[in-house]
Amino acid sequence: MQEGTREQISEIIEQDIWGAIKDIWNYVIISYEVKDGSLIEITIGLVLLVIFVFIVTSIVLRLLRSFISSKLIVEDQMKFVSVFKFIKYFVYLTVILITLSTAGIDITLLLTASAVLFVGLGLALQELFQDIIGGIFIIIDKSLLVGDVIEMDGRVGRVFQIKLRTTRALTRDDKVMIIPNHKFISDTLYNYTQNHKTTREAVKVGVAYGSDTEKVRQVLLECAKEQKGILKKPEPFVLFEDFGDSALMFGLHFYITDSFVDPKVKSELRFNIDKKFRINNITIPFPQRDVHMFYSQNKPADNEESS
């Protein structure tokens, strides 16, 4: 009796329950025929398998990223995350194609059927691919780092985020500048902090002809020493740059550690220079022009003409 019951239960499980599961697993959702006559069928089981593999791959990639990131310094972590995003998409695509191939679907037929779509996407997303390649180059060759002060298209900004497609920088007026990464390959970029954070800046000023040039130099150096934000080493220096049309041209050169805020430093420095010049009777001249008027000596007088 017990053996008969076990056989019945086993038969029910094998035929009814397991059979129903097989039927659902093999149920065809999409079926279409390729030009060469081959048939491609997408079943519920295949969809569930792809989802399962996708989830497992995501977990493995996340654990791998966390493990590698923990071994890197903070700056390298941000660069690795950007590169890892590109690697992640490539791994997803590869795993899904391998899964479909293992499930019995001819990948070559699938790729052939989608060739026109891939060509169209390639042409439409050409600039996107350029941005991604540019982002990879930026991260690999370290031509740009988070925190760098850059100038592009006449705008100065501090980089705060480097992504695979775009780079974001905060301008001096607190606006975000979003730069496609392909511009770093094709356009000219000024990186103020590529070699080091210290940069040399200058303030130009003209004084009247006849001024004591040595006194001008002393006053300018004094202003530089009093200004906050200007480094003591290397020392500031003054260049007598030119004999201008209306003034003697001087340049006060100095070093600062944060070129992002240099307009504020230069503004305060100009205020102080103007104040010191007034105290020391040094004149900043207005542009001057000499106008010479010539009269003809041969022109007859009006009374002579009338006679």
Side-chain angles (χ1 to χ4, degrees):
M1 183 74 177
Q2 294 178 352
E3 293 180 357
T5 304
R6 289 177 181 175
E7 290 178 357
Q8 290 178 357
I9 293 173
S10 175
E11 185 176 347
I12 291 173
I13 292 174
E14 290 180 0
Q15 294 182 359
D16 296 343
I17 299 177
W18 185 246
I21 292 174
K22 284 184 176 180
D23 292 339
I24 295 174
W25 184 268
N26 296 321
Y27 181 78
V28 178
I29 302 175
I30 300 174
S31 176
Y32 63 93
E33 186 176 352
V34 192
K35 290 183 179 181
D36 62 354
S38 301
L39 188 65
I40 297 179
E41 294 181 344
I42 298 178
T43 63
I44 291 180
L46 180 60
V47 174
L48 293 176
L49 180 62
V50 171
I51 293 174
F52 174 76
V53 171
F54 187 84
I55 293 174
V56 172
T57 304
S58 299
I59 295 173
V60 172
L61 288 174
R62 190 176 303 170
L63 293 174
L64 182 63
R65 187 186 70 177
S66 300
F67 175 75
I68 296 177
S69 298
S70 63
K71 305 295 182 180
L72 302 174
I73 60 177
V74 178
E75 292 182 356
D76 290 339
Q77 283 180 8
M78 301 184 69
K79 290 183 278 186
F80 173 74
V81 169
S82 298
V83 175
F84 192 80
K85 288 180 181 179
F86 178 76
I87 298 175
K88 180 174 66 175
Y89 298 141
F90 179 76
V91 171
Y92 282 152
L93 180 61
T94 303
V95 169
I96 290 174
L97 290 177
I98 293 174
T99 303
L100 294 176
S101 179
T102 306
I105 294 180
D106 192 350
I107 301 301
T108 58
L109 295 176
L110 184 61
L111 295 176
T112 302
S114 306
V116 177
L117 176 62
F118 289 153
V119 171
L121 285 175
L123 294 175
L125 302 177
Q126 183 177 5
E127 190 168 322
L128 175 62
F129 293 146
Q130 290 178 356
D131 290 336
I132 293 175
I133 293 173
I136 294 174
F137 284 157
I138 291 171
I139 294 168
I140 292 176
D141 66 7
K142 297 183 179 181
S143 60
L144 190 67
L145 300 174
V146 173
D148 282 352
V149 178
I150 62 172
E151 180 181 348
M152 176 171 282
D153 297 333
R155 308 269 308 178
V156 177
R158 190 194 301 275
V159 176
F160 67 88
Q161 189 177 54
I162 300 176
K163 291 187 174 183
L164 202 58
R165 192 182 69 83
T166 60
T167 294
R168 303 189 178 194
L170 186 67
T171 63
R172 286 169 171 164
D173 51 358
D174 291 330
K175 296 177 182 177
V176 176
M177 183 166 53
I178 302 175
I179 309 168
N181 285 335
H182 76 270
K183 283 187 168 292
F184 295 106
I185 299 177
S186 58
D187 296 354
T188 300
L189 168 72
Y190 291 97
N191 192 331
Y192 292 0
T193 53
Q194 176 69 52
N195 297 326
H196 42 69
K197 293 183 178 180
T198 302
T199 58
R200 194 182 86 179
E201 306 293 339
V203 168
K204 312 290 184 180
V205 64
V207 300
Y209 274 91
S211 300
D212 187 344
T213 55
E214 284 298 328
K215 189 174 184 181
V216 171
R217 175 159 57 182
Q218 292 174 5
V219 171
L220 291 176
L221 291 175
E222 183 181 345
C223 292
K225 291 178 181 178
E226 295 176 355
Q227 180 60 45
K228 293 182 179 179
I230 294 180
L231 297 177
K232 306 301 180 184
K233 297 289 183 179
E235 294 183 355
F237 59 92
V238 176
L239 293 180
F240 191 160
E241 297 191 342
D242 199 4
F243 293 94
D245 294 337
S246 305
L248 304 175
M249 303 305 300
F250 289 84
L252 174 59
H253 296 260
F254 53 89
Y255 295 85
I256 59 176
T257 55
D258 190 357
S259 56
F260 187 69
V261 297
D262 80 296
K264 295 181 180 179
V265 175
K266 290 180 180 179
S267 176
E268 292 298 325
L269 188 56
R270 291 188 183 101
F271 275 117
N272 198 16
I273 290 173
D274 180 69
K275 177 182 176 182
K276 294 284 186 180
F277 275 11
R278 293 176 186 274
I279 294 174
N280 290 275
N281 296 319
I282 300 174
T283 305
I284 300 176
F286 295 101
Q288 298 178 6
R289 294 292 183 270
D290 293 333
V291 179
H292 300 276
M293 302 180 67
F294 297 93
Y295 296 95
S296 175
Q297 300 295 329
N298 299 325
K299 185 177 179 180
D302 293 341
N303 55 2
E304 293 179 359
E305 291 181 356
S306 58
S307 61

